[in-house]
Amino acid sequence: MRRFSIFIGLLVAMCYVSCESKKHENKEETKYLVSSPIQLDTSITKDYVCQIHSVRHIELRALEKGYLQDIYVDEGQFVKKGQRMFHIMPNVYQADLQKAKAEAEVAEIEYQNTKLLADGEVVSANELAMAKAEYDRAKAEVALAETHLGFTNINAPFDGIMDHLEVREGSLLDEGELLTRLSDNSQMWVYFNVPEAEYLDYIISAKKNEKQQVELLMANNKKFNQPGVVETIEGEFNHETGNIAFRATFPNPDGILRHGETGSILMRVPLDGAMLIPQKATFEVLDKKFVFVIDENDKVQQREITVGAELQHLFVVEKGLSLKDKVLLEGIRMVRNGEKIHYQFEKPESVLSHLELYSE
């Protein structure tokens, strides 16, 4: 019985040693995929928070005092240029016009009579000139009264969409009182702020006589269906934020965009000679990015890198790597810092061919 127990123990020990030997052998035979960074001319998409404004957005105000007699339009309505929108009670201004016309008729009669007398040398030339001046003053009063009467009709100065009505029929208006706002949404001006460093990159890389095309990401996280172009840049930086304002213009044929909306501008920025590595080759420790680099002794060494931009499946590396470095692509969680490994090197062009890279 004792011999049988010893035999069983030896058999178990041999099996354990055999299994450990196989595990060690399998571990040594594991080959990890390794590649190098690649340098390419590409581009990235940067986004900037933006404010959307109508190309024309104005306030419509009363030009005369009086009671608001009629409102011919409604909130949110599209109005055409010259269309009547508001009518202020005209009684007082009609009376002023009639009075001015009557006084002008009297002045004209006096002028004609004085002219006849002057022709007969009954009155002096000075008296004729005074009568002429009085007649001209009376005609000016008629023109002024007609202008005031015309101000009682408020018409649309351009095609646009009405905003909220600030008054109602029967309201007593003061001169200059706000009635509503009108927006021309045929085109939209989109303002966004760019940091100084990115402004300099844009100015240096911009092609002369060629406007930068941009896209608009709306608040619902969908792209606007029309492209825009950067048309103007403000004259000076904001000293508090260090930014400068850009303005892009977007056509708005379907009237989707309205004054006051927000969104994000998407602008393509070229990168010449960017160093790229796959995102899957990196890992994070305390918000810092690292890769495993294979040294001359085939050992993995942890190295911190600085990422300048992010592409789809790729990182643009600013610091920490050179084009000659060999970077571990797969099995990052299976190795330890300083561990010697067996690896298979794959050319970076071949690695990138399996990724969705959009480059120029």
Side-chain angles (χ1 to χ4, degrees), residues 2-114:
R2 185 178 178 183
R3 291 179 181 177
F4 181 74
S5 298
I6 292 173
F7 175 75
I8 294 298
L10 290 173
L11 183 62
V12 171
M14 290 176 64
C15 289
Y16 177 78
V17 170
S18 177
C19 290
E20 287 297 315
S21 177
K22 286 182 179 179
K23 287 182 180 179
H24 183 69
E25 184 178 344
N26 288 338
K27 186 173 182 180
E28 287 184 349
E29 290 178 354
T30 301
K31 286 189 177 182
Y32 295 93
L33 186 62
V34 171
S35 188
S36 295
I38 189 171
Q39 194 170 38
L40 289 176
D41 291 339
T42 184
S43 62
I44 60 172
T45 299
K46 292 190 175 181
D47 63 285
Y48 305 91
V49 176
C50 64
Q51 292 284 338
I52 302 171
H53 292 192
S54 301
V55 68
R56 285 185 288 184
H57 179 76
I58 64 168
E59 295 178 339
L60 290 179
R61 296 180 176 271
L63 296 175
E64 297 290 349
K65 296 180 180 180
Y67 287 98
L68 183 58
Q69 182 171 311
D70 296 298
I71 299 177
Y72 301 103
V73 288
D74 199 1
E75 297 172 337
Q77 179 180 338
F78 179 81
V79 295
K80 300 288 290 182
K81 180 178 180 180
Q83 181 177 340
R84 182 183 287 188
M85 300 178 68
F86 302 94
H87 183 51
I88 299 172
M89 188 176 292
N91 299 15
V92 174
Y93 303 102
Q94 286 175 342
D96 288 341
L97 177 59
Q98 291 174 355
K99 178 183 177 182
K101 286 182 175 179
E103 291 176 351
E105 290 177 2
V106 172
E108 183 181 9
I109 292 171
E110 291 182 353
Y111 167 67
Q112 294 297 337
N113 290 338
T114 305

Side-chain angles (χ1 to χ4, degrees), residues 278-320:
Q279 292 187 16
K280 67 179 182 179
T282 67
F283 59 96
E284 288 191 9
V285 178
L286 299 177
D287 295 331
K288 294 182 179 179
K289 283 189 168 53
F290 294 84
V291 295
F292 280 125
V293 177
I294 315 303
D295 65 13
E296 62 276 6
N297 298 319
D298 296 341
K299 293 182 178 181
V300 293
Q301 302 294 339
Q302 180 175 308
R303 186 182 297 179
E304 183 182 353
I305 62 172
T306 301
V307 174
E310 181 177 346
L311 299 173
Q312 191 169 8
H313 305 299
L314 296 169
F315 282 136
V316 178
V317 180
E318 288 187 346
K319 295 180 182 178

Side-chain angles (χ1 to χ4, degrees), residues 46 131 140 149 235 300 321 340 355:
K46 292 190 175 181
L149 181 60
V300 293
L321 288 177
K340 187 173 182 178
L355 301 174

